[in-house]
Each structure stands twice: as structure tokens, then as C-alpha cells.
Amino acid sequence: MRKLLSLIVIPILFAGISSAAVAEDMKSMKKEAVETTKAFVKQLGGAMKKEMKAGGPVAAVKVCSELAPQITAQISRDKGWKVTRVGTRVRNPMLGLPDPWEQKILAQFQDRASKGEKFDKMAFAEIVEEPNGKYFRFMKAIGVKGQCLACHGDPGGMKDEVKDLLKERYPHDQAKGYKVGDLRGAVSIKRPL
């Protein structure tokens, strides 16, 4: 009886330790993802404000089309993760098209927003089993702010030079027609485990 009890209790104890370790790992990975996202948004936002002030929306388009991919690529190389921005309406299908998991989370973000949750705190993380293995997945919502409308708002209200540059750089652009407070997309992190 004692031996039988040991065979039952020991695996239960290890399962408890294992799930506690997984929860701690998850907490640590989420914290690192949040910090990485904040650093990315701060760097991109700083460059965007500087260029908007110096050269207006045309300069801002150049920040998004040239600098943002460089920043995400550098973070991805440094971390060994895939870091990107995905959109609810895609401007650049080569870089911003959400995969099925990201589409699901964007839909959840939209639902959460419809219930009054603010985008500035909205994020989601989970461990996902995919054909190539397990991944830690994280997304942080991006909401549309007033300054975003110069390039993402009603095309009728955009300057001609902005429309021309968007058409030149993004021939398949769908990322316009937003209003302040809309869900624009998310920063997405995919980390192999």
C-alpha cells in the first residue's frame, strides 16, 4: 500500500512543480516580451515624432516603410525571435499580414475593445503548439491615435503627396479609412521554445 501511494503521490508532486515552473517561465517570457515591445514602440514612436515634425506625413511614411522593418529585423536577430507588426488592414502584405493565430488574437482584441478595454494595456500571451514545435506567442494591441490619420485616415483628407507616396510604396495598401480609437493592429512576437 505504501509503495502504491508513492507511485501516485510522487508524479502528482512533480506535476505540481512542473506546472509551477511553466507558470514562472511564462511570467518571465511575458515580462521580457512586454519590455521588448515597449522598447520597439518607444524607438519607432520617437523616430516618427521627429520626422513628422521635420518633414510631415511624407517623412512619417518613410519611417514606417524603411525604419520600422529595420528595427524589427534587428530585434529579431538580437533576440532570436520573430518580432513584427501586423495589421487589421494590411499596408504591406509582405510584412504585416497576420497569420491565423494573429488573426484570432486581433479578433479577440476587437471584442475586448468593444467591451471598453483600452488598447494601451491590451496584450495576450500563450504557448502554442505548431507543426514545427512549441512557441511562446505574444501580441500587444496598437490603437489608432490622431497623428496616425495623416497616413491611415480617410484618403479624402490626406495630402496628395502622401497618397502618391503610399501608392508608390504600397500598391496593395488597405491600411486606410481608420478613425481615432480603432484597432490598427499589434506588435507580435513569436519565440521558439
Side-chain angles (χ1 to χ4, degrees), residues 15-180:
I17 292 169
S18 176
S19 63
V22 168
E24 191 58 38
D25 283 349
M26 184 71 168
K27 185 177 175 182
S28 175
M29 287 186 289
K30 186 172 182 183
K31 181 180 179 201
E32 192 174 0
V34 167
E35 290 169 0
T36 299
T37 300
K38 281 182 184 177
F40 165 68
V41 170
K42 183 177 180 180
Q43 185 177 359
L44 184 61
M48 185 73 69
K49 285 178 186 173
K50 178 181 171 190
E51 292 303 316
M52 276 289 276
K53 191 173 183 178
V58 169
V61 171
K62 292 177 181 176
V63 169
C64 277
S65 67
E66 297 169 10
L67 186 60
Q70 291 173 13
I71 295 170
T72 57
Q74 185 62 51
I75 295 169
S76 296
R77 282 191 301 276
D78 291 349
K79 295 280 190 182
W81 310 344
K82 178 185 177 193
V83 179
T84 189
R85 293 177 305 157
V86 294
T88 56
R89 297 180 216 157
V90 179
R91 176 152 280 170
N92 181 351
M94 298 303 292
L95 297 176
L97 192 63
D99 68 21
W101 183 85
E102 291 163 331
Q103 290 173 21
K104 178 181 81 169
I105 304 309
L106 286 170
Q108 289 176 10
F109 284 170
Q110 191 62 58
D111 185 54
R112 289 165 61 180
S114 73
K115 295 175 182 168
E117 190 174 342
K118 303 293 181 203
F119 294 126
D120 62 339
K121 302 284 185 197
M122 194 179 296
F124 181 79
E126 73 177 334
I127 305 290
V128 177
E129 183 78 40
E130 296 183 5
N132 295 343
K134 281 188 180 182
Y135 294 88
F136 168 78
R137 303 288 310 256
F138 173 84
M139 283 177 61
K140 167 70 182 80
I142 300 170
V144 175
K145 296 181 179 168
Q147 65 267 28
C148 304
L149 299 181
C151 303
H152 291 287
D154 176 12
M158 289 181 197
K159 294 181 177 182
D160 287 339
E161 60 190 359
V162 173
K163 287 192 278 190
D164 292 344
L165 184 59
L166 289 174
K167 190 173 185 176
E168 174 192 317
R169 293 199 178 202
Y170 304 107
H172 305 289
D173 181 19
Q174 298 296 310
K176 48 194 175 243
Y178 286 100
K179 295 176 186 70
V180 172

